[in-house]
Amino acid sequence: MKLEEKVAIVTGGSGGIGQSICQRLAQEGAKIVIDYHTHSEAAEKVKQKIEQAGSEGLIVQADLSKVDQIDNLVEQSIDRFGKVDILVNNAGLEKRADFWDVTEADYDLVLNLNLKAVFFATQAVVKHFRATNNQGKIINISSVHEELPFPHFTSYCASKGGVKMITRNLSVELGPLGITINNVAPGAIATPINHDLLNNAELLKKVTNNIPLGRMGEPEDVSGLVAFLASDEARYITGSTFYVDGGLLWNYQEQ
Ligand code: BGC
C-alpha cells in the first residue's frame, strides 16, 4: 500500500470521479475526508466503501464557494485525523451556453467552484503544511480543456486554464517547502457531468470517434494516477499536467 498513515481530503468526493478517487486512496491505506455539497446519500455510500477497504472516512458538507466553509473543512479534517497530507481538488461543474447568453450567476457558479475553491482550499492546506512542516501533496482534477477549446463552455475553459496556472505558479512557490502540486486532466469520462452526452447516442458516437482509444474513460482510469501522484513515488514530480483522455487532446486527422 502506497498511502498508509496518510490523510487525504477529496473535494466533490461523492461525485463521479471523486468516488473513485476516495475508494482508490483508501485501498492504498489513506484515511479519507469526503467533502460533498448536495448528495449526502452518495457520500454515505462512499464512506461505506472506504470502510470495506479497511480504512476510515469522514464526511463533511461544504459550499466550497465560501472560504469560511473551506477553512471549516480543513479544520474538521485535522480535528478528526490529526493532520492532512493530501488535498485532491476534484469538485467541479460546467454550464453549457452560447457565450452571449452566459449569465452572471452561472459564470460565478463555475468560476467559484472550479477556480476560487481550488485556490483557497490549496491555501488552507498549505497553511497547515507550513505550520506542521509537512511536505504534502496537492492534486487538481483539471481537464483537457485547460488547453483545448470547448465552444459553449467558455467559463469552464477559463476556470481550467486558471487551474493550470495555479499549478505552475505554486510548483515554483511551494517547491522550496517540499510541497508538490500537479494536475490530472481527464478527457471524456463516463460520469454524471456527461449525463447529456451519455444519453445522446449520436453525439456519443461523434465523441468516441474522436478518441484514438475509441471509448469514453472510466473513473478508475483517473483514480489510479491520482494514487500514484499522492504517493512518495511521485516525490520529484511537480508543476505538471497529466492527461487521461485516450489520446483525445492531440487528435487531429484529415477525413
Ligand atoms: C468535460 C466533459 C467533456 C470532456 C471532453 C471534460 O472536462 O467535463 O463535459 O466531455 O471534458 O471534452
Side-chain angles (χ1 to χ4, degrees), residues 7-15 18-23 26 31-37 39-51 56-62 64 73 76-77 80-81 88 90:
V7 177
I9 298 176
V10 181
T11 68
S14 66
Q19 294 184 2
S20 176
I21 294 170
C22 288
Q23 274 183 61
K31 294 174 181 137
I32 310 292
V33 181
I34 311 150
D35 155 77
Y36 81 100
H37 182 242
H39 301 288
S40 60
E41 275 177 27
E44 272 302 334
K45 279 196 191 136
V46 174
K47 185 166 180 266
Q48 283 165 19
K49 295 246 169 78
I50 289 166
E51 286 163 1
E56 288 170 63
L58 168 71
I59 297 174
V60 180
Q61 204 265 345
L64 298 176
L73 168 66
Q76 283 202 48
S77 309
R80 170 67 191 273
F81 294 125
V88 184
N90 164 75

Side-chain angles (χ1 to χ4, degrees), residues 236-247:
Y236 199 58
I237 301 173
T238 194
S240 291
T241 293
F242 299 87
Y243 298 98
V244 183
D245 69 347

Side-chain angles (χ1 to χ4, degrees), residues 79-97:
D79 282 353
R80 170 67 191 273
F81 294 125
K83 61 167 185 167
V84 175
D85 302 289
I86 299 155
L87 169 66
V88 184
N89 284 309
N90 164 75
L93 60 82
E94 64 190 28
K95 289 277 174 188
R96 186 185 200 285

Side-chain angles (χ1 to χ4, degrees), residues 188-190 197-198 200-217 245-248 251 253:
I189 309 294
L197 172 63
L198 291 165
N200 180 337
E202 204 181 319
L203 187 59
L204 186 59
K205 192 159 187 314
K206 264 187 164 172
V207 170
T208 49
N209 279 347
N210 202 33
I211 300 173
L213 288 180
R215 65 168 176 91
M216 299 271 289
D245 69 347
L248 166 71
N251 182 18
Q253 341 189 4

Side-chain angles (χ1 to χ4, degrees), residues 94 142-145 148 150 153 156 160 186-189 193-194 197 207 216 248:
E94 64 190 28
S142 173
S143 165
V144 285
H145 300 297
L148 186 67
F150 195 12
F153 291 88
Y156 183 74
K160 296 300 184 180
I189 309 294
I193 206 171
N194 278 314
L197 172 63
V207 170
M216 299 271 289
L248 166 71

Side-chain angles (χ1 to χ4, degrees), residues 82-234:
K83 61 167 185 167
V84 175
D85 302 289
I86 299 155
L87 169 66
V88 184
N89 284 309
N90 164 75
L93 60 82
E94 64 190 28
K95 289 277 174 188
R96 186 185 200 285
D98 293 333
F99 174 67
W100 44 90
D101 287 333
V102 174
T103 62
E104 182 181 2
D106 277 354
Y107 175 94
D108 284 346
L109 205 60
V110 172
L111 270 291
N112 282 345
L113 183 61
N114 295 11
L115 187 60
K116 180 184 171 189
V118 171
F119 189 103
F120 284 103
T122 302
Q123 187 190 62
V125 164
V126 164
K127 283 180 186 172
H128 168 67
F129 288 165
R130 287 186 75 226
T132 54
N133 213 6
N134 187 347
Q135 304 201 328
K137 294 196 158 47
I138 297 146
I139 297 145
N140 300 318
I141 307 305
S142 173
S143 165
V144 285
H145 300 297
E146 69 168 50
E147 290 293 348
L148 186 67
F150 195 12
H152 315 289
F153 291 88
T154 298
S155 59
Y156 183 74
C157 290
S159 71
K160 296 300 184 180
V163 170
K164 175 179 74 180
M165 287 312 295
I166 286 180
T167 294
R168 290 188 186 172
N169 224 61
L170 292 185
S171 67
V172 177
E173 195 169 339
L174 303 181
L177 303 173
I179 299 168
T180 65
I181 178 164
N182 291 289
N183 281 9
V184 172
I189 309 294
T191 70
I193 206 171
N194 278 314
H195 175 268
D196 293 351
L197 172 63
L198 291 165
N199 286 291
N200 180 337
E202 204 181 319
L203 187 59
L204 186 59
K205 192 159 187 314
K206 264 187 164 172
V207 170
T208 49
N209 279 347
N210 202 33
I211 300 173
L213 288 180
R215 65 168 176 91
M216 299 271 289
E218 299 297 329
E220 293 67 34
D221 295 325
V222 178
S223 54
L225 177 58
V226 175
F228 169 72
L229 289 172
S231 78
D232 193 49
E233 286 181 78

